[in-house]
Amino acid sequence: MAYDASRFKDYFEHEFTYDAGFRRNVGRFGRQVAIVDPAAGREWTYAELDAAVDKVSAVLLELGVKAGDRVAYQLYNGVEFAFLYLATQRIGAVGVPMNFRLAAGETAIILADSTPAVFIFDDAVAVDALAAVKTSGSAAALLTVAGGGNGAGAASGVRTLAEAMAAAPDGPQRRTGQPSSYGETTRLYTSGTTGRPKGVSLPSIVEVMSAHDVIMHFPLTPHDRTLNMTPWFHRGGLYSGGPNPLFYVGGSVVPMRTFDPAAALDWVEKYGITFLVGAPVTAGMLADEQERRPRDLSGLRGIVTMGAPLERAAVLRYQKLLTPRIFNGYGTTEAFWNTFLRPEDLPEHAGTAGRACTDDDVAIVKVFPDRRAEPEELAARDNTEQGEIIMRTPKSGFSYANLPQVNEEKFVHNWLYSGDLGTWDEDGFITIVGRKDDMIISGGENIHPVQVEEVLNSHPGVHDSVVVGLPDGRWGQRVVAYVIPQDAGLTADELERHCLASPELSNFKRPRAYAFVTEVPQTATGKKIHYQLARQAEADAAAGLFQKPAKAAGQGAGSGEGQ
């Protein structure tokens, strides 16, 4: 008899969904804690969480949500976010978590693009949320979540989610269509470091594969409890140490509404947290806080960072102050993380982004001036030749909603072209150099901001920096730096000496002027928004914000520097 794959296909398409996996854990771990909510002072077991999800599902169905409809929610990390993440999948809808920091006009763009049937927002953002509804012309049913805001949601007559849940019927609520592993379950909007946000469509099988990836790589067990310090609306927040992997493995999560490094460290012992997860910027704040007031962090099994490059000096500092078990994941909203740096890779590979995850292929291809490289046109694995990082993975969404032309540009032969630049070595360890869009060309030479920033940030008087190109009539662009100082006495001359003394930085790459600032623009996940400062630099230079070192030489590779 010939092999018949149809039964396997039917099972994987219709039964191998994320919601099915969560419901299995309700049966296994019904009395085990799924969420600890410090703000509310209570816990939810898996059985209680499942009942709450049924309630929210009933609310959505009563509001007319059908299979495939979008349900947008603009919420802080909290139990309501978890309810909606699970409930939308239970009824076959598509969850659209939205950045709560967006301006009304930005929210309106996403509402117009996603056309949700229901929009749920935190009371703290109610004014902008309601303005966005009006601007976008959205016909979505509205609910608000009481999160400590000014009451604008309630004042407008919008019902709270809690009120709707109280009035909803008890008991299981099931989807209105047949479940499919390939059906869209979540739509995440990119953080938009280079333009307007794009909606990344993720199917249920990606929910499952993302959970499996994190469970393998930490690894996670049903006895783990995590605090993800980044917002859950981001892929790194929801999927790495957030609800997605923990609810799939049977562990528990501790939501933090607003990141507070002191509270995060205090909660490690108080709530038995085993993994802290966040961006490198949040890990830096943890280290600063631990240095000020040391805590017992022996219960930690690891601190995981993602969303931005993790510099070598930072890794070594975090190992000393926080835990030897430091991890870093590199990836995108589209494909989650695709390389992973593990504690056993340290200290030798500190400063790299690790190598490809278990189920992923990651490569670096050449960059051509007139065309995109094919996946087989690889950069040399010598840790020197720079190229574009591409990846293919079962965790990828493989498409943007409503943007077919962009799909053709970004997804090629099942590879995602990230737009990030890097190098790799013969063992596959990737070092992030920067973004193609952020590259500075001075005197005909390519200068990547991340390399210069890493040298600047190794100075003890520098808290952080952003390096951009300033238009220059002679060299094309001149390298300048925005610096957040640790020490108010830091000077441009001191940084000039530091860069000149660094064996890791060619002289022509060093900044020719410095602006000392208190903050730099970043996305919600800690990525520096270079293009914003690049646009601003010319006006700042005209206003005299930049300070030049006393003996700064001319910019450009042809200036005779370093010879």
Side-chain angles (χ1 to χ4, degrees), residues 162-178:
E163 290 169 341
M165 289 174 66
D170 295 325
Q173 306 293 323
R174 293 293 175 250
R175 63 178 68 226
T176 56
Q178 187 179 27

Side-chain angles (χ1 to χ4, degrees), residues 342-425:
R342 308 162 191 255
E344 52 265 35
D345 300 326
L346 304 173
E348 180 183 0
H349 296 288
T352 77
R355 50 187 165 184
C357 296
T358 302
D359 293 319
D360 297 7
D361 295 307
V362 179
I364 296 184
V365 296
K366 294 178 179 294
V367 176
F368 297 107
D370 57 346
R371 66 177 179 88
R372 177 183 57 219
E374 294 297 318
E376 64 273 11
E377 294 181 298
L378 302 177
R381 297 178 66 152
D382 59 3
N383 225 19
T384 299
E385 184 180 1
Q386 297 173 0
E388 182 173 4
I389 302 169
I390 65 174
M391 58 280 285
R392 60 183 178 185
T393 169
K395 308 187 296 286
S396 181
F398 289 111
S399 68
Y400 300 112
N402 309 319
L403 292 171
Q405 71 281 8
V406 179
N407 291 335
E408 296 303 314
E409 296 169 10
K410 294 282 286 188
F411 300 97
V412 182
H413 307 308
N414 294 327
W415 290 87
L416 169 67
Y417 281 65
S418 69
D420 291 327
L421 296 173
T423 63
W424 57 342
D425 65 18

Side-chain angles (χ1 to χ4, degrees), residues 195-326:
R196 288 166 66 141
K198 301 182 289 290
V200 179
S201 298
L202 304 178
S204 190
I205 189 65
V206 167
E207 308 278 359
V208 173
M209 295 305 296
S210 298
H212 275 256
D213 186 277
V214 174
I215 292 165
M216 281 192 297
H217 284 89
F218 279 33
L220 283 176
T221 74
H223 305 293
D224 279 307
R225 177 168 292 170
T226 64
L227 167 60
N228 193 309
M229 301 171 287
T230 55
W232 288 352
F233 61 72
H234 172 64
R235 184 134 193 212
L238 181 55
Y239 292 87
S240 57
N244 169 272
L246 270 298
F247 293 160
Y248 205 80
V249 78
S252 56
V253 295
V254 181
M256 176 173 273
R257 180 178 171 87
T258 304
F259 174 63
D260 180 334
L265 292 177
D266 291 342
W267 290 1
V268 169
E269 185 173 9
K270 182 174 182 179
Y271 297 110
I273 292 166
T274 56
F275 283 96
L276 291 172
V277 187
V281 64
T282 56
M285 295 169 73
L286 291 179
D288 292 343
E289 176 61 30
Q290 180 71 354
E291 204 165 33
R292 283 191 293 268
R293 182 165 65 88
R295 280 83 159 173
D296 178 8
L297 303 180
S298 59
L300 280 177
R301 294 184 56 219
I303 293 179
V304 184
T305 65
M306 74 280 159
L310 184 60
E311 298 168 356
R312 178 181 177 85
V315 172
L316 301 179
R317 180 176 182 239
Y318 303 159
Q319 283 190 303
K320 179 182 177 182
L321 284 171
L322 299 169
T323 173
R325 293 183 56 77
I326 299 293

Side-chain angles (χ1 to χ4, degrees), residues 27 37-38 90 187 268 306 424 430 486 539-540:
D37 185 2
R90 180 155 297 183
R187 186 177 300 179
V268 169
M306 74 280 159
W424 57 342
I430 303 283
Q486 294 271 27
D540 288 343

